[in-house]
Amino acid sequence: MTQTGTRPEVPEDAHTVADRLARACRIEGLSADVLSPTRVRACVPNAHAGLAEIIKIMPDEGEVLSFYWSWGERICPAADITGAVAAIKHVVTPPLHSAF
């Protein structure tokens, strides 16, 4: 316990975060699978396989657990599951009038 009587915040491990991300993606209508403790594959069900994205979970330069695109760009901190899902859904959803 801290001096204020609250429990210290225990950081989540990458595997727990991967499970939470996959579950949140599924709730938003995406197909999502945990490929490893640090990787989640997300896509729109029945969409072109090229629109799938592998999300990596790793610490950023400040040691904050974060989500990253397959090309290495940071999406957001792992604590922001809602923001991550919105970004992922935007990237993997094909345009309305697309052949994908």
Side-chain angles (χ1 to χ4, degrees):
M1 296 270 200
T2 63
Q3 289 180 351
T4 60
T6 61
R7 300 187 111 177
E9 191 172 318
V10 177
E12 291 183 286
D13 66 15
H15 189 75
T16 302
V17 171
D19 287 337
R20 287 183 56 226
L21 178 64
R23 190 170 40 251
C25 284
R26 286 187 215 107
I27 289 169
E28 288 299 314
L30 298 175
S31 174
D33 298 299
V34 177
L35 302 178
S36 76
T38 60
R39 297 199 186 321
V40 174
R41 180 182 183 275
C43 64
V44 173
N46 303 316
H48 189 276
L51 291 175
E53 182 56 39
I54 307 297
I55 307 303
K56 298 178 205 171
I57 303 158
M58 59 188 184
D60 64 13
E61 63 281 348
E63 297 301 315
V64 175
L65 201 57
S66 298
F67 297 116
Y68 286 83
W69 298 112
S70 58
W71 59 87
E73 183 180 334
R74 185 174 180 263
I75 301 170
C76 63
D80 185 7
I81 295 282
T82 302
V85 172
I88 294 163
K89 191 170 186 177
H90 176 76
V91 167
V92 301
T93 301
L96 287 177
H97 300 291
S98 171
F100 289 108

